[in-house]
Amino acid sequence: HLSTTFILVIPEGGKSDSLRLEGPGVSPEGVVFDTGGLHPSWLERREVWVRNFPLGVDFILIKGASVAALPRTTRILKEDSQ
């Protein structure tokens, strides 16, 4: 199987852009993580990369003191979409 893990450090400051994370291991209410400063193409490409599970990518997102580990099974939704 081919897979990789990306560790992405997101710059602090600037516009806030919250995402809701859902999936195995995430609380039923979901988790919200601020990805403001992360180029949107990372999330767009991730959508393509994880389609062929178990192949895909895992993300570790770091923004300031906050860290989110996103295995390829995590679903990412815009905070305002439910």
Side-chain angles (χ1 to χ4, degrees), residues 2 9 13 15 24 28 44 46 49 52 55-56 63 66-67 74:
L2 299 175
V9 178
K15 182 184 138 202
E44 292 165 6
R46 182 187 178 275
W49 292 330
N52 296 314
L55 305 178
K63 184 167 185 177
S66 299
V67 177
T74 302

Side-chain angles (χ1 to χ4, degrees), residues 4-6 8 19-24 26 35 38-53 55-61 68-77:
T4 194
T5 300
F6 286 103
L8 303 173
L19 300 178
R20 179 168 295 280
L21 309 176
E22 298 179 344
V26 179
T35 57
L38 178 67
H39 196 282
S41 66
W42 280 107
L43 299 175
E44 292 165 6
R45 292 299 304 161
R46 182 187 178 275
E47 285 290 315
V48 174
W49 292 330
V50 300
R51 284 185 191 149
N52 296 314
F53 183 84
L55 305 178
V57 298
D58 303 312
F59 277 10
I60 298 174
L61 303 177
L70 284 64
R72 62 201 77 165
T73 55
T74 302
R75 291 180 303 281
I76 300 175
L77 308 166

